């Protein structure tokens, strides 16, 4: 059996939250399938694949998912929390992924608020979180893509774990650790506010103190990132000296 597939299936079998798994070798998008199955499956579950033909990122961008080169999965959870807290989920999961990658490469890792993971200026991982109304509380559908191996067509365009590793990547150990950290930080999210992990998150930030371009559905402007507050909101100061709060946006450094 393919090593990535085997590792995902084994990690799901031993998982606290994600024992129910849908695994297809090729899919349009794990995110799409997860949303299609959302109301058929009562508990948390995960959808995973070796290759996405129409992988999707934030703001409907294409997320390239070369065959057998990465971890492509969507995690579905149903936290009993209010919507104001849901926006903090991204930040907890960003740390879960960062802490996992840190175990396998000895390079500085950065988080571009709110949810892209970079190593030496190259994107190693991205994830997309969507909130779906589901009765009284929302369901979280979180798609995660981690580049493990380089694709011949993508060498030089983005980073993969093997690019920065000092030895061959143990795929089984990586996937197992990722599942464990996602569950660990999901538990922390359920029991704590972002303020509990804020200092750690800020220590990985790639944007604080930098000039950035912020794009929202309604505007685009240049500003300097000055803080991430206790609620996970990015604080910036624009060219006119106005301090603004950014809840969700596309960030370019």
């Amino acid at each position: 059996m393919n090593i990535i597939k085997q590792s995902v299936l084994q990690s799901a079998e031993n998982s606290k939250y994600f024992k129910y798994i849908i695994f297809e070798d090729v899919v349009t998008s794990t995110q799409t399938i997860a949303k299609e199955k959302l109301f058929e499956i009562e508990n948390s579950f995960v959808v995973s694949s070796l290759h996405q033909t129409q992988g999707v990122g934030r703001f409907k961008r294409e997320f390239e998912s070369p065959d057998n080169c990465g971890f492509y999965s969507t995690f579905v959870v149903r936290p009993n929390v209010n919507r104001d807290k849901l926006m903090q989920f991204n930040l907890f999961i960003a740390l879960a992924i960062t802490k996992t990658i840190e175990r396998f490469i000895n390079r500085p890792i950065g988080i571009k608020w709110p949810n892209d993971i970079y190593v030496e200026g190259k994107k190693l991982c991205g994830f997309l979180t969507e909130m779906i109304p589901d009765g009284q509380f929302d369901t979280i559908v979180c798609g995660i893509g981690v580049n493990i191996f380089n694709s011949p067509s993508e060498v030089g365009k983005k980073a993969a774990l093997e690019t920065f590793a000092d030895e061959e990547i143990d795929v089984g150990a990586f996937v197992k650790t990722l599942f464990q950290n996602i569950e660990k930080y999901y538990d922390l999210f359920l029991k704590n506010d972002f303020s509990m992990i804020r200092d750690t998150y800020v220590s990985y930030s790639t944007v604080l103190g930098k000039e950035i371009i912020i794009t929202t559905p309604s505007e685009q402007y240049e500003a300097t990132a000055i803080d991430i507050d206790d609620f996970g909101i990015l604080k910036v100061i624009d060219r006119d000296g106005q301090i603004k709060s950014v809840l969700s946006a596309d960030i370019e450094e």
Side-chain angles (χ1 to χ4, degrees):
M1 183 185 296
N2 174 280
I3 184 61
I4 296 176
K5 181 175 183 178
Q6 181 181 26
S7 301
V8 171
L9 292 175
Q10 287 179 346
S11 295
E13 183 179 353
N14 297 315
S15 171
K16 174 181 177 181
Y17 291 111
F18 305 108
K19 291 184 182 298
Y20 191 100
I21 182 169
I22 299 169
F23 196 107
E24 300 288 346
D25 289 352
V26 181
V27 297
T28 53
S29 164
T30 60
Q31 197 82 349
T32 299
I33 292 176
K35 288 189 286 186
E36 290 174 349
K37 298 293 184 180
L38 191 62
F39 301 107
E40 298 178 19
I41 302 170
E42 183 177 353
N43 298 314
S44 300
F45 65 97
V46 60
V47 180
S48 191
S49 182
L50 297 175
H51 178 47
Q52 299 181 109
T53 60
Q54 299 175 37
V56 59
R58 297 181 73 226
F59 299 97
K60 297 183 179 180
R61 293 195 184 96
E62 179 185 3
F63 183 87
E64 294 188 18
S65 313
D67 186 25
N68 197 28
C69 286
F71 175 88
Y72 315 126
S73 297
T74 293
F75 294 84
V76 177
V77 292
R78 295 178 165 93
N80 185 12
V81 299
N82 64 51
R83 192 171 183 85
D84 289 341
K85 183 174 169 63
L86 288 177
M87 61 175 293
Q88 300 179 19
F89 175 85
N90 264 356
L91 310 174
F92 282 84
I93 295 304
L95 271 185
I97 298 168
T98 299
K99 291 295 186 181
T100 301
I101 293 171
E102 204 168 48
R103 272 197 56 186
F104 293 87
I105 62 174
N106 187 25
R107 306 288 181 93
I109 303 171
I111 303 173
K112 188 177 82 170
W113 182 95
N115 54 0
D116 287 333
I117 314 300
Y118 279 76
V119 178
E120 296 184 355
K122 291 189 176 183
K123 186 174 177 178
L124 187 64
C125 168
F127 62 98
L128 170 66
T129 301
E130 297 180 85
M131 313 300 179
I132 311 296
D134 185 9
Q136 183 179 0
F137 299 101
D138 287 355
T139 292
I140 294 177
V141 180
C142 180
I144 300 174
V146 183
N147 306 317
I148 299 176
F149 303 114
N150 284 306
S151 165
S153 64
E154 290 299 315
V155 172
K157 296 183 181 180
K158 62 184 181 183
L161 272 176
E162 70 172 355
T163 304
F164 303 109
D166 295 327
E167 55 188 36
E168 183 177 352
I169 297 294
D170 184 334
V171 176
F174 175 78
V175 174
K176 178 182 178 181
T177 304
L178 182 57
F179 264 77
Q180 290 174 340
N181 279 334
I182 287 171
E183 295 185 342
K184 172 184 174 180
Y185 279 87
Y186 179 59
D187 279 337
L188 288 174
F189 161 76
L190 291 175
K191 299 172 184 176
N192 302 275
D193 290 326
F194 174 69
S195 57
M196 182 260 188
I197 62 164
R198 177 190 172 277
D199 288 349
T200 304
Y201 185 95
V202 166
S203 72
Y204 290 102
S205 174
T206 67
V207 301
L208 290 182
K210 293 184 178 179
E211 294 283 335
I212 56 177
I213 300 173
I214 299 164
T215 304
T216 72
S218 60
E219 63 178 336
Q220 182 181 78
Y221 59 96
E222 296 181 4
T224 301
I226 57 175
D227 194 17
I228 298 171
D229 72 14
D230 283 347
F231 300 98
I233 297 170
L234 180 65
K235 300 291 187 178
V236 303
I237 183 167
D238 68 15
R239 290 291 182 87
D240 296 325
Q242 299 294 313
I243 295 177
K244 295 185 175 182
S245 298
V246 183
L247 302 180
S248 178
D250 185 37
I251 304 293
E252 296 178 63
E253 296 182 40

